[in-house]
Amino acid sequence: MELRYSVFNPASTAERILVVGPSLGGDATQQWTSVAEALKDQTTVVFVDLPGQGNSPDWNDADEPSLRSLALGIIDVVRRVRAQFGELPVFFAGLSISGATALHIALEHPDDIRGVAVLCSAAKVGESDRWLERAEQVEVSGTQQLLEETEKRWFTPTFRAQHRGVVNTIMEGLAASDDPSYAQLCRALATHDVRSDLADIRMPVLLIAGGRDASTPIENVELVAETVPDAELHVLPEAAHQVTVAAPGDVAALLLGFMSRNERPFRKEQADD
């Protein structure tokens, strides 16, 4: 799977790299720039877009519609970034579907990443039948039909009223998504369920939840926090699903602390102490 990326601060001399991924129907640059601005002096930040979103090519039908395929694409980006910037510690932070993918990365690619941050996501997201229904719906009628309801789930009423321009920009990312690619990402979410594998993760995991996120029930996030051996959970009480947009300063501070604590390689024996 080919995914495209861009470096927010390419002239950075920071000693760590953070690769960040967007939500389903989101543009990484739009969703993560405010966080990247807050981190730019301490971290080289890399935006990676999902298939058919932002700058990435549409979903290649040769790729299985699974988050495992998406994880492989992100790891390819991580390796290209490391070749560009050298052997620095690399972390991955994903919002929503990218956060779910982060758990697959933690399970299947522990040698490539020092730690992952899962934002507004969990080991299982929604119901499989609903994702398959949405996939078919979008292939017939496009993502435009999703805008009104998605906006209500992504942002609180107060944020929508006070930051209309910001909300409009984020929603443009959803409207611009390639419909068949979006449908394949829905099918990937339909098969996502790593609840039985969480105890096998041997990597630091940061969980950030929105206290008003109707898309990701907090009990699902707590399950990950309670089961992964080295996980920590932080809830941003006034944020809904788009925490990187609604609370970028808080997200940046949590990510910076997490990376600072975990820059050394994480060894299995640490989890067994």
Side-chain angles (χ1 to χ4, degrees), residues 1 6 10 22 31 56-57 65 70 82 95 114 116 122 140 146 164 173 182 188 192 232 237 253 269:
M1 175 180 290
S6 61
Q31 293 181 342
S56 281
L70 201 56
R82 185 176 281 118
L95 174 65
R114 294 287 175 87
V116 298
V140 172
L146 305 176
R164 188 68 251 172
Y182 184 100
H192 166 62
E232 55 181 285
E269 54 266 28

Coordinates of all heavy atoms in Angstrom, one line a residue, residues 1 6 10 22 31 56-57 65 70 82 95 114 116 122 140 146 164 173 182 188 192 232 237 253 269:
M1 N 0.8 -1.2 0.0 CA 0.0 0.0 0.0 C 0.9 1.2 0.0 O 1.8 1.4 0.8 CB -0.9 0.0 1.2 CG -1.7 1.3 1.4 SD -2.8 1.2 2.8 CE -4.0 0.0 2.3
S6 N 3.9 14.2 4.3 CA 4.6 15.4 4.2 C 5.1 15.8 5.6 O 4.6 15.4 6.6 CB 3.6 16.5 3.8 OG 2.5 16.7 4.7
P10 N 10.4 20.4 8.2 CA 11.6 19.6 7.6 C 12.9 20.1 8.1 O 13.9 19.3 8.0 CB 11.4 19.8 6.1 CG 10.5 21.0 5.9 CD 9.6 21.0 7.1
P22 N -4.8 10.6 10.3 CA -6.1 11.3 10.5 C -7.2 10.3 10.8 O -7.0 9.1 10.8 CB -6.3 12.0 9.2 CG -5.7 11.0 8.2 CD -4.5 10.4 8.9
Q31 N -6.2 18.2 10.2 CA -6.6 17.7 11.6 C -5.4 17.8 12.6 O -5.7 17.9 13.8 CB -7.1 16.3 11.5 CG -8.4 16.1 10.8 CD -8.9 14.7 10.8 OE1 -8.1 13.8 11.0 NE2 -10.2 14.5 10.5
S56 N -2.9 11.2 -0.5 CA -2.6 9.8 -0.8 C -3.4 9.2 -1.9 O -4.5 9.7 -2.2 CB -2.8 8.9 0.5 OG -1.8 9.0 1.4
P57 N -2.8 8.3 -2.7 CA -3.6 7.7 -3.8 C -4.8 7.0 -3.3 O -4.9 6.6 -2.1 CB -2.6 6.7 -4.4 CG -1.2 7.1 -3.9 CD -1.5 7.7 -2.5
P65 N -8.9 -5.1 2.4 CA -9.5 -4.0 3.2 C -9.5 -4.4 4.7 O -10.4 -4.9 5.3 CB -11.0 -4.0 2.7 CG -11.3 -5.3 2.1 CD -10.0 -5.8 1.6
L70 N -3.4 -1.4 6.2 CA -3.1 0.1 6.5 C -1.9 0.2 7.4 O -1.1 1.1 7.2 CB -4.3 0.7 7.2 CG -4.5 2.2 7.1 CD1 -4.5 2.7 5.7 CD2 -5.8 2.6 7.9
R82 N 12.6 7.4 8.4 CA 13.8 7.1 9.1 C 15.0 7.2 8.1 O 16.1 7.7 8.5 CB 13.8 5.8 9.7 CG 15.0 5.5 10.6 CD 14.8 4.1 11.3 NE 14.0 4.3 12.5 CZ 12.9 3.6 12.7 NH1 12.4 2.8 11.7 NH2 12.2 3.8 13.8
L95 N -5.5 9.3 15.0 CA -6.9 9.7 15.4 C -7.9 8.8 14.8 O -7.9 8.5 13.6 CB -7.1 11.2 15.0 CG -8.5 11.8 15.2 CD1 -8.8 11.9 16.7 CD2 -8.6 13.1 14.5
R114 N 8.8 3.3 18.7 CA 9.0 3.3 20.1 C 7.8 3.3 21.0 O 7.8 2.9 22.1 CB 9.9 4.5 20.4 CG 11.3 4.5 19.9 CD 12.2 3.5 20.6 NE 13.4 3.4 19.9 CZ 14.5 4.2 20.2 NH1 14.4 5.1 21.0 NH2 15.6 4.0 19.5
V116 N 3.1 4.1 20.6 CA 1.9 4.6 19.8 C 1.0 5.3 20.7 O 0.8 5.0 21.9 CB 1.2 3.4 19.1 CG1 2.1 2.7 18.1 CG2 0.6 2.4 20.0
A122 N -10.3 2.5 19.8 CA -10.3 1.4 20.7 C -10.0 0.1 19.9 O -9.7 0.1 18.7 CB -11.6 1.3 21.4
V140 N -22.7 4.2 -3.2 CA -23.9 4.6 -4.0 C -24.1 6.1 -4.1 O -24.3 6.7 -5.1 CB -25.2 3.9 -3.5 CG1 -26.4 4.5 -4.2 CG2 -25.1 2.4 -3.7
L146 N -23.0 12.2 4.5 CA -22.5 12.0 5.9 C -22.2 13.3 6.6 O -22.0 13.3 7.8 CB -21.3 11.1 5.9 CG -21.4 9.8 5.2 CD1 -20.0 9.1 5.2 CD2 -22.4 8.9 5.8
R164 N -16.7 28.2 13.5 CA -17.4 27.7 12.3 C -16.4 27.5 11.2 O -16.5 26.5 10.4 CB -18.4 28.7 12.0 CG -19.4 28.4 10.8 CD -20.3 27.2 11.3 NE -19.9 26.0 10.6 CZ -20.4 24.8 10.9 NH1 -21.3 24.7 11.9 NH2 -20.1 23.7 10.3
G173 N -12.5 18.0 4.3 CA -11.7 16.8 4.1 C -12.6 15.6 3.8 O -12.3 14.7 3.0
Y182 N -13.0 5.4 0.8 CA -13.7 5.5 2.0 C -14.5 4.3 2.4 O -14.4 3.8 3.5 CB -14.7 6.7 2.0 CG -15.4 7.0 3.3 CD1 -14.9 8.1 4.1 CD2 -16.5 6.3 3.7 CE1 -15.6 8.4 5.3 CE2 -17.1 6.6 4.9 CZ -16.7 7.6 5.7 OH -17.3 7.9 6.9
A188 N -12.5 -2.1 6.3 CA -11.4 -2.5 7.2 C -11.8 -2.3 8.7 O -11.4 -3.2 9.5 CB -10.2 -1.5 6.9
H192 N -12.0 -5.0 12.2 CA -11.0 -4.7 13.3 C -11.5 -5.1 14.6 O -12.6 -4.7 15.1 CB -10.8 -3.1 13.3 CG -10.2 -2.6 14.5 ND1 -8.9 -2.9 14.9 CD2 -10.7 -1.8 15.5 CE1 -8.6 -2.3 16.0 NE2 -9.6 -1.6 16.4
E232 N -1.4 4.2 29.2 CA -1.9 5.2 30.1 C -3.0 5.9 29.4 O -3.0 6.1 28.2 CB -0.8 6.2 30.4 CG -0.1 6.8 29.2 CD 1.0 7.8 29.6 OE1 0.7 8.9 30.0 OE2 2.2 7.4 29.5
P237 N -12.0 16.4 28.9 CA -13.5 16.4 29.2 C -14.4 17.1 28.3 O -15.5 16.8 28.1 CB -13.5 16.9 30.7 CG -12.3 17.6 30.9 CD -11.2 16.9 30.1
A253 N 0.8 18.5 24.6 CA 1.5 18.3 25.9 C 1.5 16.8 26.3 O 2.5 16.3 26.8 CB 0.8 19.1 26.9
E269 N 11.2 -7.4 28.8 CA 11.4 -7.7 30.2 C 10.9 -6.5 31.1 O 10.6 -6.7 32.2 CB 12.9 -8.0 30.5 CG 13.9 -6.9 30.1 CD 14.4 -7.2 28.7 OE1 13.7 -7.9 27.9 OE2 15.6 -6.8 28.4

